[in-house]
Amino acid sequence: MADALPYLLGYRPEDSIVLVALHDRDGRGRFGGRARLGIPGNRDDWPSAAQQLTQGLVKGSERRGALPESMVLFLCQEPGEGESGRAVMERLRPLAQRIRTACGALDVPVIEALCISDGHFWSYCCPSEHCCPTDGTAMGLPGTSVLAAAATYAGLQVRGTLRELRARLAPWETGAAVEQESALDAMGMALIPRILDDGSRAGVAAQTLDLARQVMNRLADADPVARGSGPLPADLRDDELLRHDEAALLILGLQDRTTRDRAAEWMEGDEAGPALRLWRALARRCVGSYGEHAAAPLTLAGWVAWSCGDELEAREALAMALGADSAYLFARLLHQACNEGLDPESIRRCLRRARADDGTDRTEEDTAATATATTSATTSDADGPAGPAVPVKSPRPSARRRRRTRAAESAVDRPGSRSDGTGTTRRPRRSAGQPGTPKLGTSKGDT
């Protein structure tokens, strides 16, 4: 089981609590849902973490109609300076016990709990030193076991660590970040007043989408990196193909939700790959005081990854989008739908219809008040009323789309902590260190 964990998740977890559901059908056991949570650094947070993880996995399994018979728990953490793997195991023992107790309270026992640290694993459940010695059992080199060979033959891949995956989407921390932030400040002075003006907003949207298409074509035509060189050289190549001023215009232009929804239509076929690379590159450019602006490109990256079948990157990108702006409705709904195992095809169909009807005057209501059935299956009575669907195009006639009804207003604004009014763009604010520079703001109701 210790060797199987990276193949169950698709990556090698670090500083993680992983809970895996087990099901017994016709005498044959199988793995079910998986839930991962970072190990809280503060011990006072361990009880709430245990409750959050266990209830989330059990209730999610119940909503899918298959309550787990049992669980397997993994605690993964490398030793700190001067610490041994065994010391890590002992330090985390109370956390393992809390999770086992929380699962038992839900009538789903933990039949095995493992600590993986420093190339060894320990069992918290087995008392026999014959099979589980006190110094731990050594694990082989990654990818060298029989299980690894079988998983590779079956097409299962392990994509490094979670930290490496997130690094592809995290903002720059190099000297170039200063230049990018200056470009964002300068572009904001020129662009934001036009976005906020009803007469010029459509022109900014067209300019943003046209530039995005140009950059996507540029990325598609770029020379490929050497096979097996990893994601870093590919990301560096993409960064070199995108100028600071272009990135600034795209980042700011995508803060308009209607423009963002138009960009979400590039989610399949030959467009998906270049679009995903562009959204990753833009997320890396949301540096300094523009960190919250990453919610838009991160959500688009998560959507395209999910549409292409990469649920791992989708979940992480959408989680990072919510980290940038916890009230970003598009990310919240996509994250819920992806975690609930829904088929993204229903959303793709709506976006295809929207693309075929691009000549109409679409408003925020077009994308935020439709396809309720997409997420209604994930919201049981225990979770309260079903929320609005993932933003897609409304089937209502365009003449009626321009009037925002009370029902549509409620559907859009209820999930957020406050309303953002009737506009479709973030409010301007002063940029840190730039007293006279307007910048797209932080209204928590923005979607």
Side-chain angles (χ1 to χ4, degrees):
M1 287 189 297
D3 196 48
L5 181 58
Y7 298 95
L8 290 175
L9 299 178
Y11 60 91
R12 302 188 186 282
E14 299 174 315
D15 292 325
S16 297
I17 310 167
V18 180
L19 202 57
V20 181
L22 298 180
H23 299 273
D24 185 5
R25 180 175 296 174
D26 299 328
R28 298 184 62 183
R30 64 180 179 85
F31 290 115
R34 297 124 192 161
R36 190 205 71 88
L37 194 66
I39 297 177
N42 188 339
R43 285 173 174 256
D44 294 338
D45 295 329
W46 286 3
S48 60
Q51 289 293 118
Q52 176 184 349
L53 195 69
T54 55
Q55 290 188 6
L57 183 55
V58 171
K59 289 183 181 296
S61 298
E62 284 182 321
R63 282 196 294 269
R64 290 187 289 270
L67 184 68
E69 277 77 27
S70 55
M71 298 278 195
V72 175
L73 169 65
F74 300 86
L75 298 180
C76 308
Q77 190 173 72
E78 289 304 301
E81 186 175 355
E83 190 178 29
S84 66
R86 182 178 178 183
V88 172
M89 182 271 294
E90 293 294 347
R91 175 166 52 80
L92 297 179
R93 186 183 292 275
L95 175 59
Q97 186 57 39
R98 285 190 178 276
I99 297 173
R100 294 174 66 187
T101 302
C103 288
L106 297 173
D107 294 327
V108 183
V110 174
I111 61 170
E112 183 59 275
L114 300 178
C115 177
I116 301 175
S117 180
D118 195 26
H120 293 71
F121 69 86
W122 291 260
S123 171
Y124 289 114
C125 298
C126 179
S128 173
E129 292 191 12
H130 175 71
C131 62
C132 297
T134 56
D135 290 333
T137 302
M139 300 179 65
L141 293 174
T144 60
S145 67
V146 174
L147 176 62
T152 302
Y153 180 77
L156 300 177
Q157 296 182 352
V158 177
R159 298 165 53 185
T161 66
L162 201 59
R163 182 180 298 134
E164 293 169 344
L165 178 61
R166 288 173 173 167
R168 306 193 71 182
L169 303 167
W172 283 349
E173 295 182 354
T174 63
V178 177
E179 299 177 15
Q180 182 61 69
E181 187 170 13
S182 297
L184 284 161
D185 288 333
M187 186 63 68
M189 289 289 291
L191 202 64
I192 294 176
R194 295 176 57 203
I195 296 177
L196 297 177
D197 182 77
D198 290 339
S200 57
R201 182 181 300 139
V204 175
Q207 182 182 6
T208 302
L209 295 171
D210 182 63
L211 177 59
R213 291 188 188 94
Q214 293 179 34
V215 177
M216 286 168 54
N217 290 335
R218 195 184 306 161
L219 295 175
D221 294 338
D223 294 332
V225 298
R227 182 182 295 272
S229 58
L232 180 58
D235 291 342
L236 292 175
R237 174 206 56 197
D238 292 347
D239 288 339
E240 293 175 354
L241 295 172
L242 181 63
R243 301 196 311 266
H244 292 313
D245 60 327
E246 292 175 329
L249 190 153
L250 292 172
I251 290 169
L252 297 176
L254 288 172
Q255 304 309 306
D256 177 79
R257 291 185 294 263
T258 303
T259 306
R260 176 208 64 196
D261 295 338
R262 295 281 298 277
E265 296 167 5
W266 303 323
M267 76 287 185
E268 58 188 346
D270 293 338
E271 294 175 329
L276 179 57
R277 290 163 59 186
L278 174 58
W279 308 143
R280 286 183 191 137
L282 292 180
R284 295 192 292 267
R285 303 289 186 111
C286 294
V287 295
S289 58
Y290 291 86
E292 191 178 65
H293 290 66
L298 284 170
T299 302
L300 290 170
W303 159 237
V304 176
W306 184 34
S307 177
C308 294
D310 189 347
E311 294 186 6
L312 173 58
E313 180 168 0
R315 285 193 295 268
E316 291 307 314
L318 294 169
M320 291 176 69
L322 292 173
D325 184 351
S326 60
Y328 204 73
L329 182 59
F330 195 19
R332 290 171 63 188
L333 295 173
L334 286 174
H335 192 247
Q336 176 191 357
C338 182
N339 284 335
E340 293 292 346
L342 296 187
D343 186 352
E345 177 58 24
S346 57
I347 307 173
R348 285 195 294 260
R349 284 197 298 267
C350 294
L351 288 173
R352 292 185 198 113
R353 289 197 298 267
R355 188 169 191 173
D357 197 23
D358 272 344
T360 61
D361 181 16
R362 294 192 286 174
T363 65
E364 180 186 357
E365 294 80 52
D366 295 337
T367 58
T370 57
T372 304
T374 302
T375 54
S376 62
T378 71
T379 12
S380 64
D381 293 339
D383 297 324
V390 176
V392 288
K393 183 174 174 61
S394 168
R396 293 178 296 167
S398 60
R400 298 181 59 192
R401 290 173 187 149
R402 306 187 186 194
R403 297 198 305 271
R404 181 168 185 162
T405 64
R406 183 178 301 274
E409 213 168 54
S410 174
V412 173
D413 295 333
R414 189 181 299 112
S417 58
R418 67 184 78 164
S419 171
D420 63 342
T422 59
T424 60
T425 311
R426 298 174 181 268
R427 298 178 182 274
R429 71 179 178 189
R430 302 296 183 188
S431 174
Q434 301 288 337
T437 305
K439 177 174 177 289
L440 298 185
T442 59
S443 172
K444 292 301 182 184
D446 289 341
T447 61

